[in-house]
Amino acid sequence: MKLAVVGGGSTYTPELIDGFARLRDTLPIEELVLVDPAADRLELVGGLARRIFAKQGHPGVIRTTSDVDAGVADADAVLLQLRVGGQAARNQDETWPLDCGCVGQETTGAGGLAKALRTVPVVLDIAERVRRANPDAWIIDFTNPVGIVTRALLQAGHKAVGLCNVAIGFQRKFARLLEVQPSQVHLDHVGLNHLTWELGVRLGGPDGENVLPRLLAEHGDAVAEDLHMPRTLVDRLGVVPSYYLRYYYQHDEVVRDLRTKPSRASQVAEMEAELLKMYGDPALDEKPELLARRGGAFYSEAAVDLAASLLGGGGSPHQVVNTYNNGTLPFLPDDAVIEVQASVDAKGAKPLPVPALNPLYAGLIANVTAYEDLALEAALKGGRDRVFNALLAHPLIGQIEYADRLTDELIAHNREHLAWA
């Protein structure tokens, strides 16, 4: 089995490598290719990856290349974890929207749209290369904004599934609080990427006992603290919103907070510089503790599980993924991409049934889906008017004055990445 990781020079990658090494019985990789245009980073990450495999006794071969075509040739699955423009572009996404009083964040609002516009054309080019090399290969997208990028891939006819680590993070936290194994925890996870709610926490599977009321009664303070939301809100909702819902439920408070401290991108850039120094140490043969602060917790385990199922192996029968709606949420079009529990096998991902949603959640999902429609159109076709329309439709913006100003700022800060600008 051959896997390729595009964006393999990311400081995330040792987390992924560690998962591949520990879970080699689930996903028996014979060849792993790390693909990245940044040859200096790739050398450091690749060296550590080989040492991790060697220490854990993994027999697989790890290669590195800056040539996408060579890297994806004959691959059974290709994982996408790239960041167009790097942390410098992310820093811009997180800062210039604040000047308009709008949240600055890399996956939602104006910053999220900027990332989508930079990313979608690049991902589609890579996907075409994968299709030419091996039309049967699966593409697993971890590149943000996952929902929009996955929809672009699916609409272009690629065999693609989107993946996020939010759900597995909740699963692990809830399992720890409930003192059970993570495999016993099944989440009623519903929504869009970075716009989800845990409507139930079931023990044993989709039909198991819903212990969410007990979880919130006994551990509500811990849950709310992780979300950075008031316990009173969690109790009132009776469900667990993704921490990304803070940007909607507490927008102005978040903006005030973001204006008082360095951007997350600047913090990550400092961590990355330190991590890369560590990766260059020939004595280092395991992922460093600092990597846990970088983000992407449990990504490797979710990726192994998904790849194993798609490639006909021993992955979990039900996994939270991003895939076509196909009637699951009846108020959305079939070709909307949703993030829900799905049955996953070699044929792909099929969402499990979802009960009728409270309008409190359905309304916001429908609104953001409409924005994603317009965002994808802007990413595929370009043009100032399309960017403006997407920003005007976004529930975190929605005013002509803001949308006009943010459109000009977005184009000015991303001109080098926008072929039409």
Side-chain angles (χ1 to χ4, degrees):
M1 180 185 298
K2 175 181 176 180
L3 265 66
V5 180
V6 179
S10 169
T11 53
Y12 268 140
T13 300
E15 160 74 21
L16 189 62
I17 299 298
D18 178 72
F20 287 159
R22 287 185 294 103
L23 303 171
R24 54 185 176 272
D25 291 339
T26 303
L27 190 68
I29 298 171
E30 297 168 294
E31 182 180 0
L32 177 65
V33 184
L34 306 180
V35 184
D36 203 292
D40 53 342
R41 292 170 64 108
L42 193 58
E43 181 180 358
L44 295 173
V45 173
L48 175 56
R50 294 185 186 98
R51 294 193 297 273
I52 291 173
F53 263 31
K55 180 179 181 180
Q56 299 196 32
H58 195 297
V61 174
I62 296 178
R63 296 195 296 108
T64 60
T65 180
S66 295
D67 185 331
V68 173
D69 292 321
V72 303
D74 301 318
D76 297 290
V78 177
L79 279 67
L80 304 181
Q81 58 173 38
L82 56 147
R83 182 182 295 280
V84 179
Q87 294 299 330
R90 176 181 179 175
N91 187 63
Q92 292 181 349
D93 295 343
E94 294 177 344
T95 51
W96 53 263
L98 295 174
D99 295 335
C100 293
C102 295
V103 70
Q105 212 277 330
E106 66 158 340
T107 62
T108 193
L113 177 60
K115 192 171 195 304
L117 298 184
R118 293 192 304 268
T119 304
V120 166
V122 175
V123 165
L124 289 178
D125 175 69
I126 293 169
E128 284 300 324
R129 294 166 184 260
V130 173
R131 180 151 53 191
R132 289 197 298 268
N134 181 7
D136 293 325
W138 280 101
I139 295 175
I140 297 173
D141 178 61
F142 193 67
T143 297
N144 282 319
V146 167
I148 295 173
V149 172
T150 301
R151 188 168 182 178
L153 288 165
L154 290 172
Q155 288 187 350
H158 298 289
K159 293 177 61 177
V161 180
L163 181 65
C164 180
N165 69 320
V166 167
I168 193 171
F170 274 132
Q171 182 201 42
R172 299 310 166 88
K173 289 175 185 175
F174 295 163
R176 187 173 65 251
L177 292 172
L178 294 166
E179 298 182 338
V180 299
Q181 292 299 312
S183 60
Q184 294 180 261
V185 175
H186 177 96
L187 303 177
D188 292 342
H189 179 102
V190 180
L192 311 177
N193 181 241
H194 290 185
L195 192 86
T196 53
W197 295 263
E198 310 306 328
L199 304 183
V201 177
R202 301 184 182 276
L203 295 182
D207 300 319
E209 177 192 2
N210 181 15
V211 297
L212 179 58
R214 172 162 66 89
L215 178 71
L216 293 181
E218 296 177 359
H219 305 286
D221 288 341
V223 171
E225 184 178 357
D226 278 345
L227 299 174
H228 301 287
M229 294 184 195
R231 166 76 186 268
T232 53
L233 173 66
V234 177
D235 287 341
R236 180 179 298 175
L237 295 177
V239 304
V240 180
S242 160
Y243 40 84
Y244 286 94
L245 266 298
R246 265 197 91 215
Y247 300 117
Y248 297 83
Y249 293 162
Q250 299 170 283
H251 177 272
D252 293 352
E253 180 182 331
V254 171
V255 169
R256 288 192 295 269
D257 182 50
L258 291 174
R259 282 173 161 167
T260 65
K261 61 186 182 184
S263 69
R264 173 63 178 166
S266 65
Q267 297 170 10
V268 170
E270 291 180 4
M271 275 186 254
E272 286 198 332
E274 189 173 349
L275 284 168
L276 289 171
K277 288 181 182 177
M278 293 179 176
Y279 296 173
D281 180 356
L284 183 67
D285 56 8
E286 60 186 11
K287 63 177 183 179
E289 187 176 339
L290 176 61
L291 187 54
R293 291 166 45 203
R294 169 65 180 82
F298 308 115
Y299 160 44
S300 64
E301 294 173 41
V304 167
D305 206 15
L306 179 54
S309 292
L310 293 173
L311 298 176
S316 303
H318 302 131
Q319 299 171 41
V320 173
V321 298
N322 286 259
T323 191
Y324 270 150
N325 177 45
N326 283 337
T328 307
L329 301 180
F331 55 89
L332 296 184
D334 285 348
D335 66 349
V337 165
I338 61 174
E339 185 173 290
V340 293
Q341 287 278 2
S343 58
V344 183
D345 57 25
K347 296 179 181 179
K350 181 180 180 181
L352 300 182
V354 172
L357 289 187
N358 186 312
L360 182 61
Y361 316 127
L364 187 54
I365 290 170
N367 192 339
V368 175
T369 297
Y371 152 74
E372 291 189 348
D373 289 346
L374 296 168
L376 182 54
E377 184 178 12
L380 294 173
K381 299 178 181 178
R384 187 188 187 281
D385 287 349
R386 293 188 179 93
V387 175
F388 171 83
N389 289 343
L391 291 170
L392 189 63
H394 201 294
L396 296 182
I397 302 166
Q399 297 185 52
I400 297 171
E401 178 185 355
Y402 291 167
D404 249 331
R405 182 175 170 186
L406 289 168
T407 297
D408 291 336
E409 290 281 347
L410 186 156
I411 294 171
H413 283 92
N414 291 275
R415 197 175 300 275
E416 66 180 295
H417 300 292
L418 306 176
W420 51 267

